[in-house]
Amino acid sequence: MTARSTSAKCKYTVWQDPELAKTFLEGIRGAIPLAAEQIDMILRIVAMTQPRVESFLDLGCGDGILGRSLYQSYPDSRGIFLDFSATMLTTAKANFAGISENFRFVAEDFGAEYWRDRLIPEMSALNLTHFDVIVSGFAIHHQSDDQKRAIYQDIFSLLKPGGLFLNLEHISSRSQWEEQCFNELFIDSLYRFHQAKGSQNTKEEIAQKFYHRDDKNANILAPMETQCQWLTEIGFIDVDCFLKIFEIALFGGLKPT
């Protein structure tokens, strides 16, 4: 396994700031372009590849929307939600109030070398040894490239044979004009989202906040093609990009049976 690097840690820990997490949850998460279509695609791929879903891990869960979507489609499933932001994890847990006996909410940094050890007692409590499905949404891109690859190796080891990994991720553009297309798409989506909530901010004001946001320096973007190659080298099969919208990509693969 590639050793974890600490060079990027000072950047991505900005997400432990409660105010930044709250801003994302209230003002950005709901404005992600084509978010409903992304979740629909995830559920279609899960249904196509998994005879049943008894267990899942939502890695870097945020408010838990991906894991929650899996649970809604597979109500007998058991799941673990992992995030190192207390604000994110509290929000995710609140969405499962009254039905939490089949779920665990783990405060842990998956960029740390021994993060999997933290999962063992939680998995045991749910009578799990491996996961049918592991999903991650807009989280792994905060890690260095060496860390990304090490995390993908960890994910491979946590999957059952035949298990599925899907990463809905912020990736790097191949050109400046593609990056600008993505920025304009996101700004338009943010503007419509906040207008619907009654905001009086102009599109220019929205754009300035987007370009100068506090978390921008925490992004360490990598090409989708490179990450798919890493997955293949680790041992995943049927690796592909299943959806791409400029700098948003859904990619992943299966662990061989």
Side-chain angles (χ1 to χ4, degrees):
M1 183 186 300
T2 304
R4 298 298 205 267
S5 166
T6 59
S7 61
K9 183 174 281 293
C10 61
K11 293 182 179 180
Y12 73 80
T13 52
V14 68
W15 282 103
Q16 290 182 311
D17 181 349
E19 286 302 315
L20 179 60
K22 182 179 179 182
T23 296
F24 174 81
L25 292 173
E26 296 180 355
I28 298 176
R29 185 65 185 90
I32 293 175
L34 300 174
E37 288 79 2
Q38 295 159 27
I39 292 174
D40 178 72
M41 189 64 67
I42 289 172
L43 295 176
R44 287 178 182 274
I45 296 168
V46 171
M48 183 63 68
T49 61
Q50 301 302 303
R52 60 185 181 274
V53 176
E54 297 178 343
S55 59
F56 65 84
L57 168 64
D58 189 344
L59 188 64
C61 65
D63 64 354
I65 189 170
L66 299 186
R68 193 162 68 250
S69 297
L70 286 171
Y71 165 70
Q72 289 169 348
S73 294
Y74 304 95
D76 294 327
S77 61
R78 293 157 290 163
I80 293 179
F81 296 79
L82 184 146
D83 204 291
F84 81 151
S85 164
T87 302
M88 298 284 196
L89 211 56
T90 297
T91 302
K93 191 172 184 178
N95 290 320
F96 283 86
I99 54 170
S100 60
E101 64 275 4
N102 287 334
F103 306 98
R104 293 295 185 273
F105 300 85
V106 180
E108 185 57 57
D109 178 6
F110 61 75
E113 187 169 0
Y114 300 106
W115 69 272
R116 287 182 302 166
D117 294 344
R118 230 353 224 109
L119 284 182
I120 293 174
E122 306 296 344
M123 294 172 69
S124 296
L126 295 175
N127 197 28
L128 300 177
T129 57
H130 292 83
F131 296 101
D132 297 317
V133 178
I134 296 179
V135 292
S136 185
F138 306 113
I140 298 175
H141 70 275
H142 298 307
Q143 307 295 328
S144 70
D145 284 358
D146 284 346
Q147 287 171 303
K148 289 184 184 75
R149 183 163 182 154
I151 290 164
Y152 293 150
Q153 181 69 64
D154 289 341
I155 288 169
F156 186 82
S157 70
L158 287 167
L159 282 170
K160 71 169 188 180
L164 173 69
F165 168 53
L166 290 174
N167 190 13
L168 179 59
E169 188 59 291
H170 189 181
I171 61 168
S172 61
S173 288
R174 301 181 70 176
S175 63
Q176 288 186 339
W177 65 260
E178 184 182 1
E179 180 181 357
Q180 187 59 33
C181 285
F182 171 75
N183 290 339
E184 291 180 2
L185 172 66
F186 213 128
I187 289 166
D188 286 344
S189 186
L190 283 167
Y191 179 67
R192 289 192 298 270
F193 176 76
H194 286 282
Q195 285 287 297
K197 294 178 67 175
S199 172
Q200 300 300 311
N201 288 338
T202 66
K203 185 180 290 189
E204 177 60 27
E205 289 170 332
I206 294 288
Q208 288 303 309
K209 290 181 180 179
F210 176 79
Y211 284 119
H212 301 289
R213 61 194 186 275
D214 292 338
D215 62 285
K216 188 174 182 179
N217 289 334
N219 291 340
I220 307 175
L221 307 184
M224 173 272 297
E225 296 86 352
T226 299
Q227 297 184 73
C228 284
Q229 181 62 35
W230 293 338
L231 295 181
T232 300
E233 292 170 356
I234 287 167
F236 285 94
I237 61 172
D238 297 332
V239 173
D240 207 345
C241 176
F242 305 105
L243 178 70
K244 185 174 183 295
I245 311 160
F246 301 125
E247 290 189 4
I248 294 175
L250 174 65
F251 60 91
L254 294 164
K255 184 172 182 176
T257 56

